[in-house]
Amino acid sequence: MAKRRRLRRNDPARITLGMDRTDIAIAGGGIAGLTAACRFGAEGLRVDVVDPAPADATTIDRRTTAFLQPAIETLQRAGAWSAMAEGGAAMDVMRIVDAGGRVRQPRETADFTGAETAFGSFGVNIPNTLARQALIERLAEMPNVSLHQGRAVTGLLARSEHVVLTLSDEQRLAARLAVAVDGRDSTLRQLARVGRQRWEYGQKALVFTVSMDQPHDHISTEIHRTGGPLTLVPMPDHAGAPAASIVWLMPARRADDLADLDDAALSTELTAETMGLFGRLRVSSPRGVFPIISQVAHRLRAERVALVAEAAHVMPPIGAQGLNTSLSDIEHLAKLVQGSDDPGSDRVLARYEARQMPLILAKVAGIDALNRAVLTESQPLRDIRALGLAAVNRIAPLRRFAIKAGMGG
């Protein structure tokens, strides 16, 4: 009879006895985390999602997300797009308005049309609550994907062939790959001992929705003056009136002051700031205030751990690059996993990092530069910014480059 091997305390065989096992464990149940679960699950992999938010959470996310075409393809592959798109508004034109002159009025306007892209459209703006609900409904259709709500990752132990996650209820989960999608203060990233670089701008974003006197005509408008860009993104009509989502970046103190105004006073401030381009704007929702930072992880991988989305990068909400870059992370990792027998192998993770890190660094640097250009109080620098926009608008190669960059290229 063969002699039975006695297991040591930290032996991998002991660690995986009596626990749940999966192909991919995802930490984080936001839009990016749920998208990752659907995308990996669509490849036939066993996926477990650990979401700290309880199933009966009543927090309402009043923000919207402008999903650009490359991200839409990821959501289509994940099987969630058709349900999501029904409640969104198309973005056919991206308009940039420079109003940084001595007089508050538009002095340079550049329109970039969806017809100039390879897709014929830029994308669709969708309320976050609707997007999240569509993803949860898609997960419910996938027998190979499990959603564990009301739990958080509290421990990590990496081994040569798997990683073990300890959850807040003391349950342990063994996976061939763990994916950190748990936000800018990612616990899984910290457990994997991956550092990050973070910097602030002294800004906050004021976010809410408005009704408009004039139709938006599916034009997303970004106004550049001083203190930060003001973006109006198309939404479906609300109560019979045209509607838009507002993302207004400004110095933190002003954001706090405006957030304290009643709806009528805030509507007056916003109408003046938009220079009457849309007629009178009326606040139609509670407002949220969010601090603006940039952040980049030192690495995108650890042993059997991949960092994606805000666990890997954070950037100011300019040009809708944040979540769209997150979905780019997910898509590239999914393609690498699809072609590998071991989703958490060093080869897969090294190729993921080699492809995504240069893209992330370039995007963060570009958005950082754009934000600082709008922050400037110097009139000569504001004039240079206007000249730059004019050049991009009128010089064909620069225009093509700007459209490609805006779509995630």
Side-chain angles (χ1 to χ4, degrees):
M1 178 181 294
K3 186 176 180 180
R4 186 173 182 179
R5 181 166 71 93
R6 184 176 181 179
L7 300 181
R8 297 178 180 178
R9 180 176 178 82
N10 291 325
D11 191 298
R14 176 187 290 277
I15 291 170
T16 57
L17 286 175
M19 71 173 64
D20 292 335
R21 303 181 187 182
T22 191
D23 291 319
I24 298 179
I26 295 173
I31 291 176
L34 296 175
T35 299
C38 292
R39 183 67 181 88
F40 292 129
E43 299 298 337
L45 295 161
R46 293 170 300 169
V47 181
D48 282 71
V49 187
V50 181
D51 180 10
D56 58 354
T58 57
T59 301
I60 299 176
D61 188 344
R62 301 187 184 279
R63 294 170 294 177
T64 65
T65 295
F67 290 98
L68 304 180
Q69 287 293 349
I72 290 173
E73 292 183 338
T74 295
L75 291 163
Q76 288 172 334
R77 294 187 182 103
W81 177 245
S82 57
M84 205 180 282
E86 292 177 357
M91 298 178 295
D92 296 331
V93 176
M94 295 290 192
R95 174 172 292 167
I96 300 177
V97 178
D98 183 90
R102 291 177 174 82
V103 178
R104 181 180 293 187
Q105 63 184 27
R107 59 175 180 170
E108 185 67 41
T109 300
D111 282 356
F112 303 93
T113 67
E116 298 176 81
T117 72
F119 303 94
S121 173
F122 283 105
V124 181
N125 189 43
I126 298 174
N128 284 3
T129 50
L130 188 154
R132 179 179 169 81
Q133 185 59 39
L135 288 163
I136 289 176
E137 291 174 358
R138 172 58 177 151
L139 288 183
E141 301 171 352
M142 307 176 81
N144 55 321
V145 181
S146 298
L147 176 59
H148 308 279
Q149 294 181 292
R151 302 179 188 178
V153 174
T154 59
L156 168 69
L157 180 62
R159 293 303 189 195
S160 59
E161 296 183 353
H162 60 266
V163 65
V164 178
L165 300 181
T166 302
L167 308 186
S168 52
D169 61 357
E170 301 302 323
Q171 179 183 352
R172 291 187 298 181
L173 180 63
R176 294 195 291 167
L177 171 64
V179 183
V181 203
D182 49 344
R184 60 185 64 184
D185 297 318
S186 168
T187 297
L188 185 51
R189 183 189 65 230
Q190 296 174 51
L191 291 170
R193 298 185 182 277
V194 176
R196 51 94 174 125
Q197 180 181 0
R198 175 184 290 190
W199 59 100
E200 301 179 357
Y201 302 90
Q203 288 173 298
K204 291 183 178 180
L206 192 58
V207 179
F208 52 96
T209 60
V210 296
S211 61
M212 313 163 67
D213 282 347
Q214 302 174 11
H216 50 62
D217 294 327
H218 298 287
I219 300 172
S220 180
T221 304
E222 191 168 278
I223 299 172
H224 293 187
R225 186 163 168 78
T226 300
L230 167 57
T231 305
L232 298 91
V233 191
M235 292 183 66
D237 289 356
H238 177 70
S245 174
I246 303 295
V247 182
W248 189 358
L249 275 64
M250 65 190 80
R253 180 175 295 181
R254 187 183 183 205
D256 291 336
D257 290 343
L258 289 179
D260 289 338
L261 297 178
D262 61 30
D263 286 353
L266 181 56
S267 297
T268 298
E269 288 285 338
L270 181 64
T271 300
E273 196 72 19
T274 54
M275 301 165 289
L277 294 175
F278 308 93
R280 178 163 177 77
L281 301 177
R282 298 172 180 82
V283 175
S284 58
S285 78
R287 69 290 309 257
V289 183
F290 303 92
I292 301 302
I293 67 166
S294 284
Q295 178 175 294
V296 182
H298 294 164
R299 307 191 309 276
L300 299 185
R301 62 183 176 120
E303 187 174 9
R304 293 203 168 267
V305 176
L307 274 59
V308 306
E310 287 201 340
H313 51 78
V314 182
M315 60 193 81
I318 299 175
Q321 294 302 303
L323 187 57
N324 285 279
T325 303
S326 298
L327 268 60
S328 170
D329 299 339
I330 293 164
E331 180 62 31
H332 186 61
L333 184 57
K335 288 178 178 177
L336 290 172
V337 165
Q338 180 184 15
S340 173
D341 293 332
D342 183 356
S345 68
D346 286 343
R347 175 180 172 80
V348 167
L349 296 180
R351 291 180 66 187
Y352 165 68
E353 183 177 58
R355 195 268 186 182
Q356 287 300 105
M357 184 59 93
L359 175 65
I360 288 168
L361 293 175
K363 284 195 174 184
V364 170
I367 296 299
D368 176 82
L370 284 172
N371 192 38
R372 292 183 188 278
V374 182
L375 271 171
T376 182
E377 296 284 349
S378 167
Q379 188 61 53
L381 291 177
R382 289 155 64 182
D383 293 341
I384 291 172
R385 184 184 69 204
L387 291 173
L389 177 60
V392 169
N393 190 28
R394 294 172 175 82
I395 300 174
L398 292 179
R399 186 179 179 88
R400 288 193 295 268
F401 177 82
I403 291 173
K404 183 177 180 180
M407 296 292 287

